[in-house]
Amino acid sequence: MGRIGDADVHAAYVEFRAKESDKCLSAQCIYCQSVRAKNTSRQRSHLLECPNYLNAMKEHNPDNPILHEAVNGTPVPTPGKTPKKRDLDTMVNGFQGDSGGARPYPIPKPALERDFQMNVQLNPKISVGPGIWGQRNWISFISGHWNGRWGKGTVVPGGQDSQLVAPDLSTHLEATYLLQTTDHPPAFIAVKTDGWRVGPRDVLEKLDDPSQVDEVDPKSYSFRLYIHMETGDARYLHLNTGMWVGSGVRKGTEVIYDAYRVL
């Protein structure tokens, strides 16, 4: 059997092979990034003197046996007792990158910037029927237009949205379509979106009814998307590595969404 706290020692390290030719693994402390040979006793000795680790345990896991040993000289005597599993909040707080967390450097937080708006005209939906995952619907795109910080143009006819409707009417949306810019000559940009439209059942029923859809308050449901774009046009290559999230609404036979670039 291992010593009390060995599981905590192993949890504080990531193991890797520094070189393909190395026969032994190395271990890196996730609290201070120091590297040493994989050896539980030596890893424990390091943690007993690692200020980042000890500070994190004081704040988030005061019953940690290694912390107890560092303060009192002996590990907390809990033979035969399974260490308490840290909950999600403790795990998140224990690894946050601000000055009060375990890491000695900040982790940048992403920001959102409104980048473009998309308007798409839809054909009536076609029911593919119930499948093993739920009701499948197919909707093709008539046309549309878009306008944003980096350009504007139209939606080429022929795109499609494959919908999967769950029993509670929550709907997974997966669409592919093509944008054309107003440049001369125009550029073409392939777009893929996937996301969910969720909300109370009575609201979702109205969204599915052309005679009632315009009466629905956009705040009464959630219509969120991930957006990916691809092009080979040199003028728009920056789109290939961009990341976007979108917030949409359904109005009549039209879908409108704002896209926010993740910075």
Side-chain angles (χ1 to χ4, degrees):
M1 293 180 62
R3 294 174 59 187
I4 296 171
D6 278 359
D8 295 270
V9 172
H10 299 153
Y13 287 85
V14 291
E15 298 175 1
F16 65 98
R17 199 176 302 277
K19 299 179 182 178
E20 292 186 5
S21 58
D22 288 352
K23 295 182 179 180
C24 299
L25 292 173
S26 297
Q28 182 178 43
C29 174
I30 63 176
Y31 294 86
C32 71
Q33 285 70 58
S34 66
V35 177
R36 61 201 61 250
K38 180 187 175 183
N39 179 287
T40 302
S41 296
R42 293 180 181 178
Q43 291 169 229
R44 175 191 290 268
S45 297
H46 165 73
L47 293 178
L48 289 170
E49 299 177 351
C50 177
N52 291 336
Y53 176 80
L54 296 175
N55 288 336
M57 293 304 105
K58 287 177 183 178
E59 183 175 357
H60 304 295
N61 190 14
D63 295 331
N64 177 275
I66 297 174
L67 174 64
H68 190 279
E69 183 176 353
V71 174
N72 302 302
T74 57
V76 62
T78 54
K81 183 178 179 181
T82 302
K84 183 171 66 175
K85 184 177 181 181
R86 284 174 278 183
D87 59 21
L88 177 61
D89 183 63
T90 301
M91 290 296 292
V92 172
N93 291 333
F95 293 94
Q96 65 185 5
D98 58 28
S99 58
R103 294 190 181 277
Y105 52 83
I107 297 177
K109 295 181 179 179
L112 297 179
E113 179 180 70
R114 187 170 179 265
D115 202 37
F116 64 91
Q117 185 175 89
M118 185 74 62
N119 299 67
V120 180
Q121 292 288 337
L122 307 175
N123 278 312
K125 75 176 180 182
I126 298 173
S127 173
V128 180
I132 59 174
W133 309 117
Q135 169 66 34
R136 178 72 68 180
N137 296 326
W138 189 268
I139 301 176
S140 59
F141 295 177
I142 300 172
S143 63
H145 61 275
W146 56 276
N147 186 48
R149 300 168 63 91
W150 42 270
K152 60 182 179 179
T154 58
V155 178
V156 177
Q160 65 272 325
D161 179 17
S162 177
Q163 299 183 346
L164 186 63
V165 185
D168 65 354
L169 301 187
S170 297
T171 304
H172 180 258
L173 313 162
E174 188 172 3
T176 57
Y177 45 102
L178 192 65
L179 306 183
Q180 179 176 327
T181 70
T182 56
D183 301 305
H184 299 286
F188 293 93
I189 302 163
V191 181
K192 293 182 180 180
T193 63
D194 63 89
W196 283 90
R197 189 174 65 209
V198 299
R201 186 181 186 89
D202 61 324
V203 172
L204 298 179
E205 288 176 342
K206 290 181 179 179
L207 286 176
D208 201 39
D209 184 346
S211 66
Q212 300 186 73
V213 64
D214 287 341
E215 302 173 7
V216 179
D217 182 353
K219 295 181 181 179
S220 65
Y221 64 98
S222 173
F223 183 175
R224 302 291 186 265
L225 301 166
Y226 300 108
I227 304 158
H228 316 269
M229 289 192 277
E230 179 182 348
T231 183
D233 194 292
R235 295 166 293 181
Y236 294 94
L237 291 179
H238 64 281
L239 300 178
N240 292 319
T241 54
M243 298 176 64
W244 293 264
V245 292
S247 178
V249 296
R250 177 72 186 266
K251 288 295 180 184
T253 60
E254 185 177 32
V255 164
I256 306 169
Y257 70 80
D258 282 336
Y260 295 82
R261 188 164 192 146
V262 181
L263 304 176

